[in-house]
């Protein structure tokens, strides 16, 4: 079937620069998901991205980030899985970081913010190795679901996605063992 294109109607006339950049990024990523036709991404989808954006925003407010840092973590959240939509899943952090940088350069975003965005996206690669608070917020937001009531449902989505992306059946036993090992090694940073 024909993929519907989603449009966000936002009046940017009265927004500050940060708001305009975020609105442009939001619209761009929503359209990217709509146009990507990635039926295999049953976990790394728009709903996941929206959740990460919301958690990043809340954590940024909690830590009272500066306007530039708040902008950087929210932009990183919008683009953190864009690499799944434009390239190989194994290198989605690298391709997503470069994709975000190219988009943000077109928006005339300051280089220092772009570098922070790239650092945050790259830090989400498993095993996560953030080097500063912004990267820690992005990493923890990306894996926030591990401690949520939706974990079981989201874990099933991840297994189904992995099965489709790897073109092989990931057995329930194999998935449980991987998940247990991952959970035993995982730590939140914030």
């Amino acid at each position: 079937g024909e993929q519907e294109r989603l449009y966000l109607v936002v009046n940017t006339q009265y927004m500050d620069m940060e708001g305009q950049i975020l609105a442009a990024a939001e619209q761009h990523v929503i359209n990217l998901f709509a146009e990507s036709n990635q039926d295999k991404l049953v976990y790394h989808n728009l709903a996941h991205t929206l959740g990460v954006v919301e958690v990043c925003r809340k954590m940024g407010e909690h830590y009272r980030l500066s306007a530039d840092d708040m902008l950087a973590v929210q932009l990183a959240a919008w683009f953190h899985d864009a690499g799944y939509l434009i390239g190989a899943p194994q290198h989605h952090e690298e391709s997503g970081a470069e994709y975000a940088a190219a988009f943000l350069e077109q928006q005339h975003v300051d280089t220092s913010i772009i570098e922070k965005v790239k650092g945050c996206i790259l830090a989400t690669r498993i095993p996560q190795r953030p080097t500063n608070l912004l990267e820690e917020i992005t990493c923890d937001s990306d894996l926030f679901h591990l401690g949520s009531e939706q974990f079981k449902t989201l874990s099933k989505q991840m297994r189904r996605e992995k099965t489709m992306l790897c073109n092989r059946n990931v057995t329930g036993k194999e998935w449980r063992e991987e998940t247990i090992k991952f959970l035993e090694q995982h730590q939140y940073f914030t």
Side-chain angles (χ1 to χ4, degrees):
E2 189 174 311
Q3 186 81 348
E4 289 185 32
R5 185 177 171 122
L6 300 176
Y7 291 95
L8 176 67
V9 180
V10 176
N11 183 350
T12 59
Q13 180 179 0
Y14 301 107
M15 284 186 181
D16 60 12
M17 185 187 69
E18 289 88 1
Q20 290 179 21
I21 293 165
L22 278 171
E26 177 178 355
Q27 184 63 62
H28 186 79
V29 173
I30 288 172
N31 289 339
L32 185 64
F33 272 102
E35 295 166 358
S36 71
N37 200 22
Q38 286 284 353
D39 297 335
K40 293 180 179 180
L41 297 179
V42 293
Y43 173 76
H44 291 100
N45 54 27
L46 182 58
H48 168 71
T49 295
L50 292 171
V52 174
V53 170
E54 180 63 15
V55 174
C56 269
R57 185 189 60 73
K58 287 179 179 176
M59 290 181 73
E61 289 173 356
H62 171 80
Y63 283 100
R64 297 184 176 156
L65 297 181
S66 69
D68 283 356
D69 287 351
M70 185 67 133
L71 177 62
V73 295
Q74 289 182 91
L75 289 169
W78 276 111
F79 285 97
H80 84 282
D81 281 337
Y84 276 107
L85 306 172
I86 59 171
Q90 310 87 286
H91 306 290
H92 76 273
E93 295 90 357
E94 292 84 356
S95 57
E98 291 308 316
Y99 184 82
F103 173 81
L104 296 173
E105 286 168 9
Q106 290 176 346
Q107 301 296 313
H108 308 290
V109 173
D110 188 81
T111 306
S112 65
I113 294 173
I114 294 173
E115 289 304 312
K116 290 176 185 180
V117 170
K118 287 173 62 177
C120 288
I121 294 170
L122 293 171
T124 64
R125 182 170 189 81
I126 304 293
Q128 296 177 329
R129 290 193 171 83
T131 62
N132 59 50
L133 179 61
L134 302 184
E135 294 174 8
E136 290 174 349
I137 289 171
T138 308
C139 288
D140 286 354
S141 297
D142 189 24
L143 295 178
F144 181 78
H145 73 277
L146 296 178
S148 75
E149 292 177 4
Q150 294 83 28
F151 174 74
K152 189 174 180 180
T153 301
L154 296 173
S155 180
K156 288 178 183 178
Q157 289 175 351
M158 284 188 284
R159 176 182 169 206
R160 201 163 83 237
E161 181 177 293
K162 184 173 182 174
T163 295
M164 288 189 283
L165 291 175
C166 296
N167 292 317
R168 69 172 186 82
N169 183 40
V170 179
T171 67
K173 181 179 188 283
E174 180 183 359
W175 184 253
R176 280 188 301 280
E177 289 171 358
E178 282 182 35
T179 302
I180 290 168
K181 182 179 176 185
F182 178 78
L183 291 172
E184 286 175 344
Q185 295 174 353
H186 178 69
Q187 67 174 23
Y188 284 109
F189 301 98
T190 56

